[in-house]
Amino acid sequence: MVQPKVIFLDAVGTLFGVKGSVGEVYGEIARDFGVDVPASVLDEAFYKSFQQSSPMAFPGVELEQIVAREFEWWSAIARSTFQAVGVIDQFSEFETFFIQLYTHFATALPWKVYPDVRPALEHWHNAGIKLGVVSNFDSRLYLVLKALDLAEFFTSITISTEVGAAKPEPEIFIKGLEKHSCPPEAAWHIGDSFDADYQGANAVGIRGIWLKRT
């Protein structure tokens, strides 16, 4: 097998994941504001809200407006989550709660790096392969990668909110390739989503690799 020039990796679900569950993290911080909901209930409501939302990409939005749009996008999902479980009115200041929640996910605290990640990154780095992240995450990814001591491995980070297109759309993969002046056939993309990562990469000529985490 010919060694690739660049290996792109997805972020959440591939490099790192949430400790426990999203519902546990949401519930823990909500309790600090006097709102108590079982983690499993919150988790189910969150994923329904997340799946029903539009892709996190803002085509045509000026760069300086992106961070605010990301915040609004996630705030709508959090609000929908707590509305779905019937406790939104228990928050005296939901916006204050959400700011704390949003900031929390920009740190290392809610995340775990999968045990196979660092050995793989070190192996590819030592082999002289350039590494990049292509993700439908938001601008907090830069902070999270640094906090998890992963940023040093990557020479490019390409996120949907900055590109204006989310995986599996071809634009985000093409933008990643452009950062390395790399033709599609010389790149791999590894991710945990069959549709967004595997099929999205293959559609533009990148070798897609589906990482099936349990």
Side-chain angles (χ1 to χ4, degrees):
M1 184 181 298
V2 178
Q3 177 171 296
K5 177 181 178 181
V6 180
I7 296 177
F8 296 110
L9 296 107
D10 176 50
V12 181
T14 300
L15 295 173
F16 56 87
V18 176
K19 292 178 182 175
S21 69
V22 173
E24 288 177 33
V25 179
Y26 271 47
E28 181 179 350
I29 296 179
R31 282 192 292 275
D32 293 339
F33 289 79
V35 179
D36 194 0
V37 186
S40 59
V41 174
L42 278 175
D43 205 51
E44 181 178 357
F46 167 81
Y47 280 106
K48 284 184 179 178
S49 178
F50 185 85
Q51 290 164 2
Q52 291 169 359
S53 65
S54 59
M56 190 165 46
F58 316 115
V61 173
E62 296 294 330
L63 193 62
E64 61 269 18
Q65 298 175 337
I66 286 176
V67 170
R69 291 292 295 272
E70 292 171 344
F71 183 89
E72 293 167 1
W73 192 91
W74 281 109
S75 178
I77 286 181
R79 187 175 293 276
S80 174
T81 297
F82 285 96
Q83 283 175 337
V85 299
V87 298
I88 191 73
D89 293 336
Q90 294 181 24
F91 288 96
S92 57
E93 294 185 21
F94 184 83
E95 194 68 16
T96 302
F97 155 75
F98 179 70
I99 290 172
Q100 183 170 323
L101 179 69
Y102 192 78
T103 303
H104 183 68
F105 275 100
T107 71
L109 293 174
W111 304 109
K112 62 179 180 183
V113 178
Y114 296 112
D116 54 3
V117 166
R118 183 169 288 274
L121 296 179
E122 289 175 347
H123 172 75
W124 292 324
H125 178 74
N126 293 336
I129 301 171
K130 297 296 184 183
L131 300 173
V133 176
V134 175
S135 171
N136 288 352
F137 203 62
D138 56 65
S139 300
R140 291 174 296 173
L141 181 58
Y142 298 101
L143 297 174
V144 173
L145 289 173
K146 287 181 180 178
L148 296 175
D149 295 324
L150 296 178
E152 63 185 290
F153 292 104
F154 299 102
T155 53
S156 73
I157 297 174
T158 306
I159 57 176
S160 59
T161 55
E162 292 179 353
V163 174
K167 294 183 293 184
E169 295 179 66
E171 290 87 348
I172 188 169
F173 294 103
I174 292 169
K175 181 61 68 174
L177 290 169
E178 289 174 350
K179 292 179 179 180
H180 294 270
S181 300
C182 180
E185 62 271 15
W188 296 358
H189 177 75
I190 302 171
D192 66 302
S193 169
F194 181 80
D195 294 330
D197 294 308
Y198 178 74
Q199 291 191 318
N202 284 337
V204 297
I206 297 172
R207 184 187 178 202
I209 298 173
W210 183 24
L211 180 64
K212 297 172 67 175
R213 293 203 181 277
T214 56

